[in-house]
Amino acid sequence: MIENAGWLVAPTEGMRPFLRLLAEAALAHGGRVLAEPFHGRFAFFIGADGRAHPVHGAALGLNGDAAARLAGDKDYAAKVLGYAGIQVPEHVILLAGREPGPSLNWAREEAGFPIWVKPNEGHGGEGVTQATDLTALKVALGPLRAGGRHVLLQAHQPGRELRVMVLEGRVALSYERVNTEGKPRNLSQGAEVRPVDMHPAIAAMAVRAAAALGLRWAGVDVITPNPALPDAVVLEVNAAPGLDAYAAETPENWAKARAVLGAALEALEHSNQRLADQAG
C-alpha cells in the first residue's frame, strides 16, 4: 500500500506550493497527498476511497499520454490547432542538426523582429528568449542547438497575455499575465497576475484548443489586443499547468487555485471510478 511507504511524507511548508495546494484540496475532498521529500516531483493523491493516483510535477493524470505529448510539442500542437481553425502565431521549426540558414531567412524576411526563440519541447519559460535582431537570434540559438534541441522560432504577437485554465470542457479559472522588467511574459520568468474579464469568444476558443489536443485539463495561453473583444490567438497549451505562482500572489488567489485543483481531483476520481466499474 502506498500510504505505508515510509519514505513518503505529507507536503510541508518547505515543499513546492503546488504540493501544498494539492494537499489542501485533497483534504477538502476527504483525501490526502503523500510526496517524495527529496525533490517534490513525485506524489500520490489518495482519495477518500483509498485509491492512490500518481502525480508527477503538475501532471495529475487527467490527460492521456499521447495528448500530453502532443501538447508538449509546440510545433505539432500549433499545427493541430491551426487545422482546427484556431488562430496561432506564425512559426518555423529548426530541427536539431539542421542548417539554420532557412530559419534565419524566415525570421529576417518574413516574420520580422522581435521574434521568440523557444525549445520545441519545454515548459515554465525554460530556454525562452526574445531576439530583437539577427545577431541576437544567432546568440539565442547557440545553447539550444549545442544541446541538441529542436528550436521553435515564433513570430511576436503583440497584445495582452491571458492564462485560461480549462477543465472538462469549461473554463475553470482565467487571469492576465503582466510583463515586468522586460522579461518574457511567463509567470515562471517574472510576470505578475491580475484578474481579467474576457470576451466569451476567447473563453470558447480556449475550450476548443484544449479539445483539439485531446486534453481534459489544460492551461491555454492566449494573446489578445483587448480581453473585452473577441480577437485573440492561442500562444501555446500546457497539459500540466502549475498554479504555484498564481496562488502565491494573494490569499484570495490561493483559495481560488485550491478550489480549481479540488475540482480537478474530483474529475480524476470520477473517471477512475468509471474505469474500475467497467473493469469489474
Side-chain angles (χ1 to χ4, degrees), residues 192-209:
E192 297 174 352
V193 302
R194 65 185 176 200
V196 65
D197 292 322
M198 61 184 176
H199 194 280
I202 297 179
M205 182 180 66
V207 169
R208 286 171 50 220

Side-chain angles (χ1 to χ4, degrees), residues 23-203:
E24 291 182 17
L27 183 63
H29 286 76
R32 60 196 180 112
V33 170
L34 293 175
E36 56 89 5
F38 311 108
H39 306 288
R41 293 298 297 169
F42 292 94
F44 289 89
F45 159 57
I46 302 172
D49 59 359
R51 185 181 287 115
H53 310 270
V55 175
H56 176 231
L60 302 177
L62 273 168
N63 294 320
D65 292 345
R69 291 292 298 272
L70 173 59
D73 187 309
K74 294 180 175 64
D75 174 47
Y76 279 125
K79 287 181 170 67
V80 170
L81 293 175
Y83 296 150
I86 297 168
Q87 189 174 354
V88 295
E90 293 292 329
H91 79 277
V92 296
I93 184 73
L94 173 55
L95 298 177
R98 297 290 181 86
E99 286 300 316
S103 297
L104 297 177
N105 290 338
W106 175 84
R108 181 179 60 240
E109 298 172 8
E110 297 184 43
F113 292 96
I115 198 166
W116 291 96
V117 182
K118 306 179 178 184
N120 189 51
E121 296 186 9
H123 56 84
E126 172 261 334
V128 176
T129 56
Q130 188 186 72
T132 55
D133 56 36
L134 190 61
T135 299
L137 175 56
K138 292 178 180 178
V139 170
L141 288 174
L144 294 175
R145 285 171 52 75
R149 307 287 294 272
H150 302 316
V151 184
L152 189 85
L153 302 187
Q154 189 178 68
H156 178 66
Q157 186 74 35
R160 296 162 62 178
E161 182 174 339
L162 314 182
R163 162 58 67 91
V164 185
M165 306 289 289
V166 176
L167 174 64
E168 300 285 48
R170 63 178 180 84
V171 173
L173 180 70
S174 61
Y175 51 89
E176 182 176 358
R177 289 168 159 165
V178 183
N179 195 19
T180 60
E181 300 177 4
K183 297 178 181 178
R185 291 171 297 198
N186 184 289
L187 281 175
S188 302
Q189 301 292 322
E192 297 174 352
V193 302
R194 65 185 176 200
V196 65
D197 292 322
M198 61 184 176
H199 194 280
I202 297 179

